[in-house]
Amino acid sequence: MSSHAITAPSSDKMMPLFFVLLLRLAGSPRDAAALTRDDYPKGFTFGAGTSAYQVEGAAAEDGRKPSIWDTFTHNGYARENSNGDIAADQYHHYKDDVKLMQELGLDAYRFSIAWARLIPDGRGKINPKGLEYYNNLINELLLHGIEPHVTIYHLDLPQSLQDEYDGLLSPRFVDDFTAYADACFQSFGDRVKHWVTLNEPNMEPLSGYSNGMMPPKRCSDPFCSYVNCTKGNSSTEPYIAAHHLLLAHASAVSLYRNKYNATQRGQIGITLMGIWYEPATSSSQDAAAARRMLEFHIGWFVHPLVYGDYPAVMRSRVGARLPDLTASQVRGSFDFIGITHYFATPVRDDEAALNLEQRDYYADAGLKEVFSPRALGKLLDHLKLKYGNPTIMIHENGLAERPKITSEIVYDDDIRSEYLQDYMDQIYLSIGNGSDVRGYFVWSFLDMFELVSGYSSRYGLCGVDMNAEERTRYVRNSGHWYSGFLKGGELRLALPSGKAYRTA
């Protein structure tokens, strides 16, 4: 997706370069022999991703209607009053992009379908032009030997449903989402074998309904983060929105399994933001706070999917504000868990928050957060040990650059390559330790509209000249490095002189 902060979990998932430099000094987790893709399990998928509102453009073309992100950005809430009206304009350049993916050697492309393009009013008739676009994109990918991995909902709810019944706050969302998913399965499922129902449903309720940093921009004092929300309730709405997202996911999975899977033979799962939480000190209180936050963050969705109910610590702390859930509604409704991962967060215990008359999600968890680098291996171990070692797809992982001049053309991004290498190393080690990781997708394939960060943060293996009318693409050093690995080269980075950046 591309955007989250921690204390206000809303906006920028970029890791500061200072922390990346610390990782470089720490050395590689692997041994001296450089890895190749043959060292990963047979069938392991390497790809890259984007999302519809961030990459497509053509926001008002061919029958597409506004999503909540169109409304949000056109009200000036993204950085520098930017928006995704044109973005990288993949809607008009998808053939060139697919050819570029093939040249890079990607196994797969993860993208999302824009609900407001396929079914502009949120329910009802399918838009023929939207249907044509996604059919064309999927067919083009398959023609070039690239697997489509499709996310059905990537934060971009049709504005019409937000206006009609407050979107995720209404149980009506579950039925409308299920009908939309049905249209996707029926239209594309003969060719799409990898489905994600929802992207980061453990973050959208916080950013949209707790601190108001993302659409639909709902929150209440004193929990709003640098924004002025005109409506909302930060103490209750995040839990309601998340509950309806969870039920919508389970409903779509049930539909797929009962109606389509016998003939389509695909896999379906959900993708969560996977921040790792660590104690900020050696105190037992901070250790307990870190464990508690993992339950609030990961367990919020994975615990119901595996065990049938919300975590006990959420039940005890949130109380009646946490909706009722039965095991039959959700348990077992996944083939894999997708993870987006960018960093770790040390936490400090803050039990005094439980004495507040009004509490939000973070006060319920009883902690204070501080920022620091990532620990993907620990997160994978946690999922393996606590949740029965589910199949995992790393659906997003990447590093942003923030040039002083946002229009600057930048090829030299070797620090991104090294960041990605460190993660790919860690995934290899985690697989060796028994984690069932099946794929890795770099965020992102192209520079795009990075949500609240606008165009000031760029994650692309391939750059895009956003000032050019034709949105010219160019391959960065990281794209060439990733391509070399995918085509059989070593994972170890090398300077042009042939000297390694570091030795193990």
Side-chain angles (χ1 to χ4, degrees):
M1 151 176 132
S2 81
S3 282
H4 307 294
I6 299 307
T7 304
S10 58
S11 297
D12 196 334
K13 66 191 178 189
M14 170 186 172
M15 179 188 296
L17 295 185
F18 170 74
F19 291 117
V20 179
L21 294 173
L22 288 181
L23 292 176
R24 294 175 68 175
L25 293 173
S28 173
R30 61 187 156 78
D31 59 23
L35 297 173
T36 70
R37 68 171 301 159
D38 289 338
D39 293 304
Y40 292 81
K42 185 177 180 180
F44 191 93
T45 299
F46 286 99
T50 64
S51 85
Y53 182 71
Q54 295 179 262
V55 76
E56 285 180 1
E61 293 185 35
D62 292 340
R64 181 189 180 278
K65 290 188 177 181
S67 76
I68 55 175
W69 271 101
D70 293 282
T71 303
F72 183 84
T73 57
H74 280 263
N75 281 324
Y77 295 126
R79 187 166 294 170
E80 298 176 346
N81 293 316
S82 55
N83 59 60
D85 286 1
I86 302 176
D89 200 22
Q90 189 168 83
Y91 188 79
H92 296 111
H93 296 280
Y94 72 91
K95 288 188 176 182
D96 291 334
D97 284 346
V98 172
K99 183 178 179 181
L100 183 54
M101 293 175 209
Q102 183 188 46
E103 291 172 356
L104 291 179
L106 299 185
D107 299 332
Y109 178 48
R110 178 177 177 249
F111 65 97
S112 70
I113 292 173
W115 190 343
R117 190 181 299 282
L118 188 66
I119 304 177
D121 292 315
R123 73 167 71 87
K125 294 183 179 180
I126 290 177
N127 173 23
K129 287 291 187 179
L131 179 65
E132 179 183 18
Y133 170 70
Y134 292 113
N135 272 324
N136 288 343
L137 174 58
I138 290 165
N139 291 340
E140 195 75 11
L141 289 166
L142 293 172
L143 180 66
H144 288 79
I146 299 168
E147 294 179 353
H149 286 234
V150 177
T151 300
I152 297 172
Y153 175 69
H154 196 116
L155 313 178
D156 51 351
L157 183 74
Q159 183 62 43
S160 59
L161 301 185
Q162 184 65 39
D163 293 340
E164 183 178 348
Y165 54 68
D166 284 334
L168 305 184
L169 296 179
S170 170
R172 295 172 63 185
F173 169 79
V174 177
D175 292 335
D176 283 341
F177 176 79
T178 304
Y180 163 52
D182 194 2
C184 292
F185 300 145
Q186 184 173 3
S187 300
F188 314 120
D190 58 328
R191 289 151 292 155
V192 173
K193 306 304 176 186
H194 308 274
W195 292 101
V196 170
T197 55
L198 309 169
N199 184 77
E200 297 182 354
N202 58 339
M203 295 304 293
E204 184 178 16
L206 303 180
S207 298
Y209 295 86
S210 179
N211 57 52
M213 291 292 287
M214 285 185 171
K217 201 173 177 291
R218 295 178 67 95
C219 60
S220 59
D221 289 333
F223 307 111
C224 299
S225 297
Y226 316 113
V227 295
N228 294 315
C229 294
T230 58
K231 58 179 118 178
N233 187 325
S234 300
S235 295
T236 60
E237 290 187 356
Y239 299 113
I240 296 169
H243 187 72
H244 292 148
L245 284 166
L246 180 61
L247 294 180
H249 158 78
S251 177
V253 171
S254 177
L255 170 72
Y256 184 75
R257 288 175 172 174
N258 292 330
K259 186 176 179 180
Y260 294 103
N261 196 44
T263 55
Q264 295 183 359
R265 300 292 183 184
Q267 299 285 307
I268 188 166
I270 191 170
T271 294
L272 305 175
M273 182 64 177
I275 302 169
W276 176 252
Y277 292 89
E278 293 206 359
T281 72
S282 59
S283 74
S284 60
Q285 292 87 350
D286 286 356
R291 291 192 299 270
R292 198 162 58 240
M293 194 59 212
L294 287 170
E295 293 287 87
F296 268 75
H297 177 62
I298 297 293
W300 198 3
F301 280 80
V302 181
H303 203 279
L305 294 178
V306 174
Y307 300 115
D309 196 6
Y310 293 115
V313 69
M314 293 190 75
R315 283 277 176 219
S316 64
R317 287 172 172 252
V318 183
R321 288 176 290 128
L322 193 62
D324 291 331
L325 186 66
T326 62
S328 61
Q329 290 177 293
V330 296
R331 187 164 60 191
S333 57
F334 67 96
D335 297 320
F336 62 84
I337 300 295
I339 293 294
T340 70
H341 180 79
Y342 296 86
F343 44 72
T345 301
V347 296
R348 297 183 186 275
D349 180 67
D350 185 18
E351 289 291 342
L354 292 176
N355 297 324
L356 295 174
E357 183 176 343
Q358 281 189 305
R359 302 203 304 262
D360 72 343
Y361 172 91
Y362 286 91
D364 288 331
L367 55 84
K368 298 177 181 178
E369 297 181 293
V370 200
F371 193 80
S372 89
R374 86 294 189 266
L376 178 58
K378 293 180 180 180
L379 175 60
L380 292 173
D381 281 345
H382 175 73
L383 291 165
K384 176 180 66 178
L385 296 173
K386 188 170 183 64
Y387 300 111
N389 201 20
T391 296
I392 300 294
M393 301 292 288
I394 306 301
H395 271 153
E396 291 184 27
N397 177 235
L399 179 69
E401 59 170 321
R402 280 185 168 177
K404 292 181 179 179
I405 303 174
T406 57
S407 60
E408 182 182 3
I409 303 298
V410 175
Y411 290 89
D412 184 0
D413 65 340
D414 291 324
I415 196 168
R416 175 180 285 119
S417 301
E418 188 153 4
Y419 172 94
L420 298 175
Q421 174 185 272
D422 284 337
Y423 275 104
M424 292 162 71
D425 282 340
Q426 185 59 67
I427 290 167
Y428 168 77
L429 291 176
S430 294
I431 292 171
N433 288 333
S435 290
D436 187 16
V437 186
R438 304 283 183 91
Y440 175 76
F441 290 75
V442 175
W443 188 271
S444 54
F445 166 58
L446 292 175
D447 288 344
M448 301 178 294
F449 175 73
E450 288 295 341
L451 302 183
V452 294
S453 296
Y455 296 99
S456 63
S457 293
R458 307 192 299 196
Y459 286 83
L461 295 169
C462 300
V464 178
D465 184 351
M466 296 296 180
N467 286 332
E469 184 176 352
E470 62 275 18
R471 292 299 197 265
T472 309
R473 277 76 161 133
Y474 60 96
V475 182
R476 294 199 171 101
N477 288 0
S478 61
H480 288 297
W481 168 80
Y482 192 48
S483 178
F485 169 75
L486 296 179
K487 295 175 180 178
E490 293 184 342
L491 186 59
R492 180 184 301 281
L493 286 162
L495 293 168
S497 64
K499 295 181 180 178
Y501 275 93
R502 58 163 183 252
T503 57

